[in-house]
Amino acid sequence: MTPAAGHPRPIEVVAFGLGIAYFAAYQLFKLPVVLPVLLERYHYDRTLAGGFMSIYALAGLSLSIWLGRAVARRGPAPYIAVALGLSAAGSVLTVLLPSSGLAVLSGRALEGIAFAILAIGGPVIANAGATPERLPIVIGLTATWIPIGQLTAILLAPVALATVGWQSLWYAGLGAAVLFALWTARLRRAPGLAPGGAIDPVGEHRRAFTPAERRLLALSGTVFMLWSGQYFAYMTWLPQYLVEVAGLSVTSALVGYLIPVVFVLIFNVVAGLMLRAGFAAGVMMAGALACQALVWWLMPATGSGLGFGIVSLVAYGVGAGIVPACLFAMPSAILGRARGTAGAFGVIMTGRNLGVLIGPVLLAQAVDMTGSWALATPIFGTLTTVGLAISLALAAGLRRRGDAPPRG
């Protein structure tokens, strides 16, 4: 059955949902790829520089639950339009006043509000446009939003630094915001964007969560908090670590930064295929967290040589690819037919935002206090290990309920 004339196809709705999520991730990760340059040129305090990443989480913490309900009630289109405007304004402020740390922080805060909206709206819209058979693949693709945003920034950064400068990454974000605004206007009445659209086709968002569902969603949000804290610390400061500790140039550091990002992207997709094949999301996530915890605990040894260092980067990327795919599958695994419930995404994204708020600043503080990167291992190894323990409890709870990821 094809859509009526003038109406977008479901595949376009999926592409739009994924696209705005990818855009949001690019806006977030355009900073780390040029952070060594910004620190050298503008002499930002290291903790303030960590705040340029963490500030994104403040808006999410304040707005995620409310946004999840508002999007379910009114449709995401008007909120997405506001988000794109805020994102553009934040980019302009940063480009105009880069030497003012407060101005850059304010610009990142505006982008962070936009990120909070797009981080919920993107997955909800993509799920709404997916058929039941394709939903696991869409979930896997949804989980690729972070590495695709990172990869885009990594690939653009050398060109930007060799030509106009770091500002080119911000100009690219402005151009993308305009294009997505035009696309939003085209799709504003499409299912999944309009009020009463197919965000929750069976009306499940109006049903209160059961105690068991709330407990499992809370566990999912907690795992997301611990995982995203260590992930964003790692991904914010890895280029600077490679410059300071490994003695690499900024361009060479970006090559090292590229390695885990590529494997995150690959294993996001692999995880989606595994979910479709019937693998249990909770068990998959626990195994991936065990891999990442091992990377943190072995970092003092693996950081001492090129070969072990590359193995560490690859192993970290593999684990980091599987975990978010499983977390984005949790609303479906926990709530059954309520496969795109905006409220459930709001709950787990709140956990994610807590991690983003804490992780980059925590690592910056640890380095400033000690003058070295040595504390990264005990701090983030412990956080990841605790996340592993909670994920095992989550896997057990899902198994008791009959963990059945959506599949075709």
Side-chain angles (χ1 to χ4, degrees):
M1 185 175 180
T2 58
H7 287 265
R9 294 179 178 273
I11 189 65
E12 184 180 356
V13 175
V14 172
F16 176 80
L18 294 174
I20 60 172
Y22 297 158
F23 167 71
Y26 168 80
Q27 290 289 79
L28 173 60
F29 277 98
K30 67 190 177 188
L31 179 83
V33 295
V34 293
L35 188 55
V37 173
L38 296 177
L39 287 171
E40 181 180 5
R41 184 171 301 177
Y42 302 111
H43 308 290
Y44 302 130
D45 176 79
R46 194 185 295 266
T47 301
L48 175 64
F52 294 160
M53 292 292 284
S54 294
I55 194 69
Y56 263 58
L58 285 178
L61 284 172
S62 303
L63 299 175
S64 284
I65 299 292
W66 176 82
L67 280 170
R69 293 169 180 167
V71 165
R73 188 166 57 248
R74 298 182 181 177
Y79 299 100
I80 289 169
V82 170
L84 293 170
L86 291 172
S87 188
S91 295
V92 169
L93 183 58
T94 300
V95 169
L96 290 179
L97 298 169
S99 61
S100 168
L102 180 59
V104 176
L105 189 66
S106 299
R108 295 288 287 179
L110 292 176
E111 293 177 4
I113 297 172
F115 183 92
I117 298 170
L118 300 178
I120 291 175
V124 168
I125 293 168
N127 278 15
T131 61
E133 312 84 57
R134 294 177 179 171
L135 180 60
I137 302 300
V138 171
I139 289 172
L141 291 173
T142 300
T144 67
W145 68 312
I146 292 295
I148 284 183
Q150 288 177 278
L151 186 61
T152 304
I154 292 170
L155 295 177
L156 288 178
V159 178
L161 294 175
T163 54
V164 175
W166 64 266
Q167 295 92 335
S168 297
L169 298 176
W170 273 252
Y171 295 145
L174 280 170
V178 171
L179 293 176
F180 277 113
L182 295 174
W183 200 357
T184 303
R186 165 180 158 74
L187 295 179
R188 67 187 182 280
R189 298 190 183 280
L193 281 88
I199 295 175
D200 257 320
V202 294
E204 288 284 343
H205 66 271
R206 293 190 293 270
R207 176 178 62 79
F209 299 142
T210 67
E213 289 169 347
R214 283 197 299 270
R215 184 167 56 254
L216 292 173
L217 285 172
L219 289 174
S220 300
T222 303
V223 173
F224 217 160
M225 176 186 69
L226 296 168
W227 179 82
S228 62
Q230 58 85 33
Y231 180 83
F232 278 83
Y234 186 97
M235 289 300 183
T236 297
W237 291 108
L238 180 59
Q240 186 67 23
Y241 173 86
L242 293 174
V243 169
E244 287 188 9
V245 177
L248 301 180
S249 67
V250 174
T251 302
S252 298
L254 291 177
V255 175
Y257 191 51
L258 182 64
I259 293 172
V261 173
V262 168
F263 280 89
V264 170
L265 179 58
I266 292 171
F267 278 86
N268 280 159
V269 178
V270 169
L273 295 173
M274 292 174 69
L275 288 170
R276 187 177 188 185
F279 285 83
V283 175
M284 287 171 56
M285 184 165 64
L289 281 166
C291 178
Q292 288 193 280
L294 191 62
V295 168
W296 280 110
W297 289 116
L298 293 178
M299 193 168 287
T302 58
S304 61
L306 178 62
F308 284 125
I310 292 175
V311 170
S312 175
L313 292 170
V314 170
Y316 188 89
V318 171
I322 294 172
V323 172
C326 295
L327 285 166
F328 278 110
M330 285 302 155
S332 299
I334 294 168
L335 302 175
R337 290 190 304 151
R339 60 191 177 92
T341 299
F345 276 111
V347 171
I348 66 170
M349 292 304 289
T350 297
R352 174 201 169 279
N353 287 324
L354 277 169
V356 177
L357 175 66
I358 297 168
V361 172
L362 179 60
L363 182 52
Q365 283 284 296
V367 174
D368 278 345
M369 289 173 58
T370 64
S372 78
W373 297 82
L375 276 181
T377 288
I379 291 174
F380 294 102
T382 299
L383 290 179
T384 310
T385 302
V386 173
L388 168 60
I390 296 173
S391 73
L392 291 171
L394 177 60
L398 289 170
R399 178 167 294 184
R400 284 194 296 269
R401 288 170 55 87
D403 184 1
R407 57 186 293 189

